[in-house]
Amino acid sequence: MNVFEKDLAGVPLDSRDPEVAPIIEMIKHTQKLIAKLNNGEKSEEQVREILSQIMGREVDSSLWLLPPFYTDFGRNIYFGKNVFVNTACTFMDRGGIYIDDEVFIGPKVNLITINHDINPYNRTTTICKPIYIQKRV
């Protein structure tokens, strides 16, 4: 299992471990794309194009997302058809965010799949769990 698979599966990972370096690099890459998405006016098509770059696959043409939008990782977000995401949402998706068809998400919604170990001496360890939002929610 590679580090991305471990993270998605909820295996505790210490951010100081060299094994986690590819995740850190992906986060840095995603932050550059997020800046591009949130800087200046974008058409719906441009928003979907940048989101496709962030997610590493083409998003459905029925997705309507209003920037600004924030994500830490981006590769573990999955949108169904006819999804609407209102402005100023944050999706921290290392554990996976799965949004089914015809879901509407309100403004400033935060979907957070990552947590830190509750032991104060082990706070650099992260543990991820997925979020599933079912059809027409």
Side-chain angles (χ1 to χ4, degrees):
M1 199 183 285
N2 68 37
V3 70
F4 296 108
E5 294 166 333
K6 287 179 182 179
D7 203 32
L8 195 56
V11 174
L13 296 172
D14 189 328
S15 62
R16 298 173 297 187
D17 187 325
E19 176 189 31
V20 179
I23 292 174
I24 304 300
E25 288 307 310
M26 181 62 69
I27 290 169
K28 290 177 183 178
H29 173 73
T30 298
Q31 295 316 297
K32 291 176 186 175
L33 292 171
I34 286 296
K36 181 178 176 183
L37 175 68
N38 293 334
N39 187 15
E41 184 178 337
K42 303 284 185 293
S43 69
E44 289 179 41
E45 293 78 19
Q46 290 171 313
V47 168
R48 284 191 293 272
E49 179 182 318
I50 296 168
L51 283 173
S52 294
Q53 292 173 31
I54 290 167
M55 294 168 54
R57 66 192 161 298
E58 189 173 341
V59 299
D60 191 82
S61 62
S62 65
L63 173 67
W64 183 18
L65 183 142
L66 299 178
F69 176 76
Y70 307 97
T71 185
D72 58 341
F73 189 71
R75 294 292 169 131
N76 295 333
I77 300 170
Y78 300 89
F79 291 113
K81 296 184 183 303
N82 300 310
V83 171
F84 172 68
V85 180
N86 213 319
T87 189
C89 290
T90 299
F91 290 9
M92 296 185 74
D93 65 294
R94 284 178 42 197
I97 296 174
Y98 305 90
I99 299 171
D100 206 344
D101 298 341
E102 300 177 25
V103 170
F104 283 23
I105 297 180
K108 298 184 180 181
V109 167
N110 294 310
L111 300 177
I112 312 298
T113 67
I114 188 168
N115 205 350
H116 293 269
D117 193 309
I118 60 171
N119 179 341
Y121 298 100
N122 199 24
R123 289 280 165 85
T124 58
T125 296
T126 57
I127 304 155
C128 298
K129 299 290 181 193
I131 293 173
Y132 295 92
I133 301 178
Q134 295 181 351
K135 195 172 192 172
R136 293 190 182 98
V137 171

